[in-house]
Amino acid sequence: MSVLIGVLGGLGLFLYGMQLMGTGLQKAAGKKLERIIEILTTNRFMGVLVGVIVTGVIQSSSATTVMVVGFVNAGIMKLSQAVGVILGANVGTTITGQIVSLSIDELAPIAVGIGMILWMLAKKDSQKNLAEILIGLGILFIGMEFLKDSLKPLRELEAFTNIMASIGHNPVLGVFVGFGLTFVVQSSSASIGMLIALASTGVLPLSAALPILYGDNIGTCTTALLSSIGASKNAKRAAIIHLAFNAVGTLLFIFVLSAPITSIVTKLDPTDVARQIANAHTIFNLANVVIQFPFAFILIKIAMWVIPDKGEGAELKLTKFIDERILETPTIAMKSVINETINMGEVAKKSLISAMDGLFEGQLDKVKQTFVYEKDINKLEGLITEYLVKLSNKDIMDSDRRYIDGLFNSINDIERIGDHADNIAELIVTMDQDRIVLSELSKQALLIMYNKTKATYEIALDVLDKPSQENIDQVIALEKEMDQLQREARRDHFARLNSNECSTEAGVYYLEMVNNLERISDLSCNLARIVADTVAIA
């Protein structure tokens, strides 16, 4: 019982330290990690590099693969891109094993102490991030030391040593043990950590460790497989690709490459089994990527065979960028939700264009399309708001939290822009039903205001995408011009009324349209001001 309690305590500290260190690294990477979406191309080699870097930062191949499933489900990433990232994630996860195999336990308390002092004195996010990394690293090694001490009594148990010997002679059994272990703890890094702890106590020979290690790699696939339940077909295929890659690699190394890998790692570290396991883990995943990379298209075909199309049409989704699985990596989720907000903004722009172009072109069907867009805008507002609430509950930097607060206001302003476009469309439909016609002078004035409003709004959306002081100033300047145009439009309208150049009924609708366009311009200015207030602009 004391061994079990010690193992649970040590494993808990290990997992917490790894999670804390990963969070700190992720925050420290910040905007660089956000830009990972922009790097993703159809180049599979680039995808492998992305997978290595992201997994090295967030310290979890499972989280990376789940995130990839989310990207595919959201439609951001194609299967051809996903396969490269998945391959790279397996290499990135070996970094944790290399770290914990190092004999630097005596430095762990120092790392925690320095980290705590830095945390208490920190005034900047960057300093707090460094503190989290140090504290997490220290706790990780303290957990490992606790785990090693708890496992030492197993050296005296003949039954346990016999089990380890039987695994060494029966590698298939070892694979199942590794699979089961990783399935339970849902972390291949934790499984590798336990193997290294056992090896450090002298109870786990390399011959028994290797098949368990291979099984760990299959076990880690269960996280993505479970995550893909309820997702799109392509998202399920991404999870299948992960499973197929690791399953093929495991079979290859058990029956063909086990002897060479044993020879290599024992020559590198003849007496240190912990280092042998860490190196075997790294070599296994590197070699697996090198061997299977040229045949990545076969992995895709396997996934397509397991999850066929069955002649069904493409799956339609209202959202384009957000997916709950991406929340596993908050810094990347930030970029996704910003993109989704811009997507919502583009739908609102289409709504305005449909209404106004329909008016000028005399196409009522185009005007009525605005009502369809309005429903989509309202749905997007609800979905993005829900996502922002979940993201704000994650461990994120203070600067990101301020930006999230700003995004709540931004999506509200975009929804109101959609409302004003909807108002304009309703005015046009009513005018058509009542046979009310605007004068050519009124239409000309509306066209000028519409073009100015659309330009203001488009630049405001650019500010959301890539904040710049120049664009913010331009939006504010255009909004002031719009205020002047509104005053001129009202003045000219009353002059036309006095000279009987337009009817009173038409004038009411005209002024309502002028007011709605001016309000859209105001709300566009709000979007730019929110960014100016929440983002540090160079």
Side-chain angles (χ1 to χ4, degrees):
M1 181 59 72
S2 61
V3 172
L4 179 62
I5 293 172
V7 168
L8 290 175
L11 187 60
L13 284 171
F14 176 87
L15 288 171
Y16 177 69
M18 188 170 65
Q19 186 268 337
L20 189 61
M21 183 175 68
T23 300
L25 286 167
Q26 194 179 146
K27 290 179 185 176
K31 299 295 180 183
K32 293 177 183 176
L33 198 58
E34 283 181 22
R35 295 192 190 102
I36 199 72
I37 299 172
E38 299 169 14
I39 298 173
L40 294 173
T41 66
T42 53
N43 185 324
R44 282 200 300 270
F45 180 73
M46 180 62 74
V48 172
L49 291 179
V50 167
V52 173
I53 294 167
V54 172
T55 306
V57 170
I58 66 178
Q59 290 291 294
S60 172
S61 62
S62 297
T64 301
T65 309
V66 166
M67 185 175 64
V68 167
V69 170
F71 279 144
V72 173
N73 191 54
I76 301 170
M77 191 186 295
K78 298 177 182 178
L79 276 179
S80 57
Q81 298 167 311
V83 67
V85 180
I86 290 168
L87 266 59
N90 278 43
V91 176
T93 195
T94 64
I95 294 171
T96 307
Q98 290 292 340
I99 291 172
V100 299
S101 68
L102 300 173
S103 300
I104 53 174
D105 301 333
E106 64 277 3
L107 299 178
I110 298 173
V112 173
I114 293 173
M116 285 305 302
I117 293 170
L118 188 58
W119 175 266
M120 289 186 291
L121 299 177
K123 294 181 180 179
K124 297 180 180 179
D125 281 339
S126 58
Q127 294 170 338
K128 287 187 177 181
N129 296 338
L130 178 58
E132 280 191 26
I133 294 169
L134 288 172
I135 295 169
L137 184 64
I139 292 175
L140 183 150
F141 277 106
I142 290 171
M144 274 298 293
E145 190 62 24
F146 203 71
L147 201 56
K148 292 174 186 176
D149 290 341
S150 301
L151 292 170
K152 282 178 181 177
L154 295 179
R155 288 182 299 187
E156 312 302 325
L157 293 178
E158 185 178 351
F160 187 82
T161 55
N162 288 338
I163 290 172
M164 292 299 103
S166 64
I167 290 175
H169 292 102
N170 188 352
V172 175
L173 175 62
V175 170
F176 279 106
V177 170
F179 174 86
L181 183 62
T182 306
F183 179 76
V184 171
V185 299
Q186 286 292 290
S187 170
S188 61
S189 294
S191 303
I192 300 300
M194 291 183 70
L195 289 181
I196 290 172
L198 282 167
S200 299
T201 62
V203 298
L204 182 68
L206 182 62
S207 58
L210 286 181
I212 297 174
L213 183 150
Y214 302 147
D216 285 343
N217 275 42
I218 298 178
T220 195
C221 299
T222 58
T223 308
L225 288 168
L226 291 171
S227 174
S228 70
I229 295 173
S232 67
K233 289 181 181 295
N234 270 343
K236 291 185 176 74
R237 288 166 184 154
I240 294 295
I241 286 171
H242 189 213
L243 175 62
F245 171 71
N246 283 321
V248 169
T250 295
L251 292 172
L252 184 64
F253 274 80
I254 283 180
F255 296 111
V256 180
L257 299 175
S258 185
I261 198 171
T262 301
S263 174
I264 292 169
V265 297
T266 50
K267 285 180 180 178
L268 289 173
D269 286 282
T271 58
D272 192 340
V273 180
R275 289 293 302 148
Q276 290 173 5
I277 292 172
N279 288 333
H281 189 217
T282 301
I283 294 170
F284 165 72
N285 283 289
L286 277 172
N288 202 14
V289 169
V290 171
I291 292 168
Q292 295 198 54
F293 183 80
F295 306 101
F297 67 95
I298 296 178
L299 295 175
I300 295 174
K301 285 186 177 181
I302 291 171
M304 296 291 289
W305 176 73
V306 175
I307 310 290
D309 282 326
K310 295 182 180 179
E312 297 175 8
E315 298 166 79
L316 298 176
K317 289 176 84 270
L318 187 60
T319 56
K320 290 185 176 180
F321 300 98
I322 57 173
D323 187 283
E324 289 201 19
R325 298 162 188 82
I326 305 174
L327 288 168
E328 295 293 324
T329 316
T331 50
I332 293 181
M334 273 291 299
K335 181 64 177 176
S336 296
V337 77
I338 291 168
N339 286 339
E340 198 64 71
T341 302
I342 295 167
N343 173 46
M344 178 183 172
E346 290 293 339
V347 177
K349 186 173 83 171
K350 290 178 184 177
S351 181
L352 175 63
I353 291 171
S354 290
M356 295 304 296
D357 284 2
L359 169 66
F360 297 127
E361 296 168 8
Q363 296 183 23
L364 199 61
D365 288 344
K366 184 175 281 190
V367 173
K368 290 180 178 178
Q369 183 64 33
T370 295
F371 304 137
V372 177
Y373 287 132
E374 169 63 9
K375 291 179 181 177
D376 288 345
I377 292 166
N378 290 336
K379 289 176 184 176
L380 280 168
E381 183 191 24
L383 291 169
I384 296 172
T385 298
E386 184 181 345
Y387 196 83
L388 283 171
V389 170
K390 292 176 180 177
L391 181 55
S392 65
N393 289 327
K394 296 289 183 179
D395 188 3
I396 55 178
M397 292 187 292
D398 292 339
S399 58
D400 285 343
R401 196 169 299 283
R402 286 193 300 271
Y403 195 55
I404 287 174
D405 292 341
L407 284 174
F408 278 112
N409 293 320
S410 295
I411 60 171
N412 180 253
D413 285 341
I414 292 171
E415 191 277 331
R416 289 166 66 194
I417 286 170
D419 285 343
H420 286 293
D422 187 73
N423 291 345
I424 293 171
E426 287 180 354
L427 290 168
I428 297 168
V429 170
T430 305
M431 285 173 61
D432 180 76
Q433 291 170 349
D434 296 344
R435 300 184 182 280
I436 296 171
V437 180
L438 295 176
S439 68
E440 288 304 316
L441 287 174
S442 295
K443 283 187 177 180
Q444 187 61 34
L446 281 174
L447 180 59
I448 293 171
M449 291 191 71
Y450 163 57
N451 287 334
K452 186 74 68 176
T453 298
K454 189 170 70 164
T456 306
Y457 182 48
E458 286 173 343
I459 297 171
L461 290 181
D462 286 341
V463 170
L464 278 175
D465 186 23
K466 295 177 182 177
S468 76
Q469 192 60 51
E470 181 183 353
N471 281 351
I472 291 170
D473 292 340
Q474 191 174 357
V475 169
I476 294 170
L478 285 171
E479 196 278 327
K480 289 179 180 177
E481 291 178 21
M482 190 64 184
D483 288 342
Q484 180 62 30
L485 283 175
Q486 182 195 33
R487 288 191 290 269
E488 291 174 1
R490 294 176 69 86
R491 183 194 64 205
D492 293 344
H493 166 67
F494 290 126
R496 288 193 296 273
L497 275 178
N498 291 332
S499 60
N500 294 318
E501 293 179 30
C502 69
S503 67
T504 305
E505 294 85 356
V508 171
Y509 289 96
Y510 169 73
L511 289 178
E512 279 296 310
M513 289 186 198
V514 166
N515 290 337
N516 277 284
L517 288 172
E518 193 278 331
R519 284 298 299 135
I520 291 173
S521 181
D522 284 344
L523 291 165
S524 300
C525 192
N526 282 353
L527 290 173
R529 291 186 190 278
I530 288 168
V531 174
D533 292 340
T534 56
V535 178
I537 300 172

